Amino acid sequence: MKVLESNFMQGFMRMADDGWQQGWHERNGGNLTYRMKPEEVEAVREDLSFDGEWKDIGTTVPGMAGEFFAATGSGKYFRNVMTAPEDSCAICEIDDKGEKYRVCWGLVNGGRPTSEFPSHLMNHEVKKAASGGKHRVIYHAHPANTIALTFVLPLTDEAFTRELWEMATECPVVFPSGIGVVPWMVPGGRDIAVATSELMKQYDVAIWAHHGMFCSGEDFDLTFGLMHTVEKSAEILVKVYSMTGGTKRQTIQPDEFRHLAVDFGVTLPEKFLFEK
Ligand code: 2HA
Ligand code: ZN
């Protein structure tokens, strides 16, 4: 089967385009990777090439040895994924030590996978282990409301989780484990990858101060929906701050979150249910 005819690649492209249409991917902002299932690799194997040069990942991910990823390309625009997927995206294979990758499909005009490939692969490694292999999607975008809050809220997991939970009743159900916050760091390298993947051991969402958001999930719907929910909640908080300077007349109380958790069968860490 041709890569472009496969369900996973169609889903990948649709998610990238959805993010573009949300306004989360100015210029070449953001990146998306998908850890392919073995049967998906087999289904498109005839359309892959295995004579590409092995290149350093820039970090070591032994847990990702032998995996195949669909990835957006470094410097490529989400805006172009739908119309020029073979130029904008790649399928990459990871070597048997988790140190190198090679391009097996796509990037027909040259280039390499996303500049955040080290962060993506370290997050995939952590989330694969933490989810028993279920998580397959890592998504990074630049949603404006979430970024705006990193100039206003304390840069703590507690502040972001609690404030965003309060803005929409569905939030604690959609991201019950909470949100991690990475202070401002230089993007693209191993240090920010290590900091993010450390947070991803507990969370499915990490916010990079003054930069953007990372989400992890089992499939394209869940991962896009997670980013969408967090950003919608951030938008509501921005509106509240804009109207009032931050004063809320009323909000959801800690005991109300505890009742919600029981009825919806989720566990909400007590560290986020502090009295204000
Ligand atoms: O330009 O978003 O973080 C891609 C990015 C880097
Ligand atoms: Zn970015």
Side-chain angles (χ1 to χ4, degrees):
M1 187 195 286
K2 292 282 184 196
V3 167
L4 289 177
E5 288 164 6
S6 64
N7 281 340
F8 80 85
M9 200 63 200
Q10 288 290 324
F12 183 95
M13 290 160 54
R14 179 175 163 220
M15 176 156 165
D17 197 60
D18 284 345
W20 155 248
Q21 295 201 31
Q22 288 293 326
W24 299 342
H25 298 284
E26 76 291 340
R27 204 171 180 277
N28 61 321
N31 22 78
L32 174 63
T33 55
Y34 171 71
R35 187 170 60 82
M36 291 164 63
K37 297 176 181 168
E39 61 270 28
E40 290 167 338
V41 177
E42 287 320 308
V44 299
R45 189 174 279 276
E46 63 192 19
D47 199 23
L48 305 181
S49 77
F50 295 92
D51 47 17
E53 189 191 333
W54 289 104
K55 298 193 176 137
D56 282 332
I57 294 168
T59 188
T60 309
V61 282
M64 295 292 97
E67 296 273 7
F68 286 74
F69 291 89
T72 50
S74 178
K76 303 292 184 181
Y77 291 29
F78 271 55
R79 177 169 173 257
N80 295 334
V81 165
M82 268 301 181
T83 48
E86 288 167 288
D87 172 67
S88 308
C89 308
I91 289 177
C92 296
E93 180 186 11
I94 308 300
D95 73 354
D96 58 4
K97 293 201 180 73
E99 290 172 355
K100 293 177 189 290
Y101 71 91
R102 63 180 171 188
V103 175
C104 301
W105 179 91
L107 293 175
V108 289
N109 297 307
R112 54 191 179 87
T114 163
S115 60
E116 303 293 357
F117 210 34
S119 277
H120 278 250
L121 291 177
M122 290 185 80
N123 286 329
H124 275 293
E125 189 174 41
V126 161
K127 296 311 288 187
K128 183 186 175 189
S131 69
K134 286 196 182 135
H135 276 225
R136 294 192 171 274
V137 184
I138 299 285
Y139 182 34
H140 169 61
H142 298 168
N145 293 287
T146 300
I147 297 169
L149 291 179
T150 68
F151 297 89
V152 175
L153 294 180
L155 295 176
T156 64
D157 304 0
E158 286 78 8
F160 270 81
T161 300
R162 179 63 175 276
E163 289 302 318
L164 293 175
W165 277 359
E166 284 185 28
M167 288 304 109
T169 297
E170 66 171 327
C171 284
V173 180
V174 175
F175 49 97
S177 52
I179 294 177
V181 180
V182 180
W184 188 86
M185 293 176 77
V186 176
R190 190 171 180 278
D191 290 350
I192 198 165
V194 170
T196 311
S197 59
E198 199 53 42
L199 290 173
M200 284 296 195
K201 288 177 185 167
Q202 318 172 44
Y203 307 121
D204 294 338
V205 185
I207 291 172
W208 285 1
H210 323 324
H211 182 149
M213 188 174 3
F214 259 88
C215 288
S216 172
E218 294 182 17
D219 60 28
F220 299 121
D221 281 346
L222 286 165
T223 315
F224 186 83
L226 178 57
M227 176 93 62
H228 205 186
T229 305
V230 174
E231 171 61 4
K232 175 80 177 279
S233 185
E235 182 181 350
I236 299 169
L237 189 55
V238 167
K239 289 184 196 297
V240 171
Y241 266 85
S242 305
M243 286 186 284
T244 71
T247 323
K248 298 171 206 154
R249 184 184 288 270
Q250 55 269 322
T251 187
I252 307 170
Q253 298 300 323
D255 268 342
E256 295 175 322
F257 283 121
R258 292 185 185 101
H259 289 152
L260 183 79
V262 172
D263 277 13
F264 280 81
V266 293
T267 305
L268 302 178
E270 277 293 319
K271 69 173 173 173
F272 299 129
L273 299 178
F274 46 87
E275 292 299 328
K276 288 190 189 168

